[in-house]
Amino acid sequence: MKRYTYSYLVNGSLAIIQEWIQEGFIVSSLELAELIFSLADHSLLAFDPLEEK
């Protein structure tokens, strides 16, 4: 399951960055980075670090 999560995070992050560029950089790069980090962090918290699937 982790493999799918990492794929989701990478592709989702790229989609967010593409949207940001297409919208003309409406939010700051810091805000965007914080959003991506927050989404990634919460996604990874769903897994038990000792659990390997």
Side-chain angles (χ1 to χ4, degrees), residues 13-24:
S13 297
L14 288 174
I16 289 171
I17 293 167
Q18 286 175 332
E19 187 72 23
W20 178 63
I21 292 168
Q22 289 172 356
E23 290 181 343

Side-chain angles (χ1 to χ4, degrees), residues 16-36:
I16 289 171
I17 293 167
Q18 286 175 332
E19 187 72 23
W20 178 63
I21 292 168
Q22 289 172 356
E23 290 181 343
F25 311 101
I26 293 173
V27 298
S28 73
S29 58
L30 179 60
E31 288 175 301
L32 195 76
E34 288 174 345
L35 171 63
I36 292 171

Side-chain angles (χ1 to χ4, degrees), residues 2 5 7-9 13 15 18-19 23 26-31 33 38 44-45 47 49-51 53:
K2 285 184 182 183
T5 302
S7 179
Y8 165 78
L9 292 174
S13 297
Q18 286 175 332
E19 187 72 23
E23 290 181 343
I26 293 173
V27 298
S28 73
S29 58
L30 179 60
E31 288 175 301
S38 178
L44 294 175
L45 287 175
F47 291 99
L50 302 175
E51 182 181 345
K53 290 188 179 182

